[in-house]
Amino acid sequence: MKILIVTQYFFPENFKSNDLAFELQKRGHEVTVLTGIPNYPEGKIFEGYGIFKSRSQVMKGVKVKRAFLIPRGNGGGVRLLINYYSFALFASIKAFFMGLNKKYDAIIVHEPSPIMQYYPAYLLNKIWKTPVYFWVMDLWPESLAVAGGISNKFVLSYFTRVVVKFYTNAEKILITSKGFRESINNKGNFNEKIVYFPNWAEDSISEGNKDFPLPELPIGFKVMFAGNIGEAQDLDSIMQAALQLRSDKNIKFVIVGDGRKMSFVKSFIAENDLSETVFLLGRYPVEAMSSFFEKADVMLVTLKNDPIFNLTVPAKLQAYMSASKPIIGMLNGEGAANILEANCGFTVSAGDYDSLAKTIIKISKLSEDVLEELGNSSRLYYERNFRLSNCISNLELILQQNQQNL
């Protein structure tokens, strides 16, 4: 098939769109990616890219077309909005001319946020009737209200109308969490369009380089949190649990990643004398994650207590499972259900840092054999549900079945 993937984020930015494109191309499909100039997460255009540089590339056989956008800068609200809409505008213009030269069999919109990146696909569908498969990884306008702090009812109402238009336009709505179904159907009768299509762990994590050079890690029982350090991840509660465990010098919190809450975390550590039990290692490439996970005793996944997050399965959960690690979850809903169903660790309610601290003490006293058994259960659940090859095979079936019906 001739497949166009529309996404604001693509390699060298680290998103699932990379695996999606390269795996489909490897399977014999002709894949083109319409994306932006890379600038996530630092907000600065990556070295080697620019307005007149590296705008058209071929990567592993995938044709990559980059539309102009205004970089996200420091990630402030106005600047983010400009970043989002600049991509939507210039990518739509580019999509129009791409559509003049080539007919695609299917368009996949990869949407971790923002919703506006659907516009180029919407245009192509309206002009050339190309079916669009909307891979929803972030619910709008809910995420705008929760993560973005937007409460203006007129703004939220506007984006609700935009979302409904896109859902109506899409041939299929692919959801990463089964919990998304209810939220989407609350906006209209879209049930027949919805297909469960979960995240996976990158091969570089599940089968990656366990010899990647690491900084020196602390000695003790290592509770590792890896990934984005933002509002949604509830670092406030993680730090409160670490504060309760400050006197237990055997338990070490190891945080790998970066994000908007990093300044808060650094201040909290300094103000509460946690430098001997909480260690910040910074951001590392995805290729390094296998090495980090190998050194951890247990992995930590957290989300704030909010209706939208209760519907979400954090992508890091699949990565943790792929690394054969026991997991502690401080979250509600789908993510917690996955951990319990996999029998690979323990869960406490979102925001319950008292129970988190007690659970960490409990799991730190388990034997190595029990920890290994929990880790094996993690890997088994990943193999059954979240392998890249299985997920893409399922996607091929979805695309092919729909092509036969057209």
Side-chain angles (χ1 to χ4, degrees), residues 2 8 81 113 149 157 176 234 253:
K2 295 180 178 65
Q8 187 166 333
L81 199 63
S113 230
S157 176
T176 55
D234 196 7
F253 287 80

Side-chain angles (χ1 to χ4, degrees), residues 6-26:
V6 176
T7 176
Q8 187 166 333
Y9 313 102
F10 193 70
F11 189 88
E13 296 165 316
N14 182 34
F15 284 84
K16 290 291 187 290
S17 52
N18 302 343
D19 291 330
L20 181 66
F22 296 143
E23 183 66 19
L24 285 170
Q25 181 73 30
K26 190 167 71 175

Side-chain angles (χ1 to χ4, degrees), residues 176-226:
T176 55
S177 169
K178 294 176 182 177
F180 283 8
R181 183 180 293 269
E182 181 180 355
S183 172
I184 293 171
N185 278 327
N186 284 340
K187 299 177 179 66
N189 184 19
F190 301 114
N191 200 53
E192 294 301 315
K193 293 186 175 187
I194 298 174
V195 180
Y196 178 54
F197 182 61
N199 273 315
W200 54 81
E202 292 87 348
D203 286 345
S204 54
I205 295 177
S206 61
E207 301 166 6
N209 174 20
K210 292 183 173 58
D211 298 319
F212 193 97
L214 299 181
E216 186 176 352
L217 298 183
I219 297 173
F221 186 84
K222 290 178 277 294
V223 180
M224 184 175 290
F225 175 97

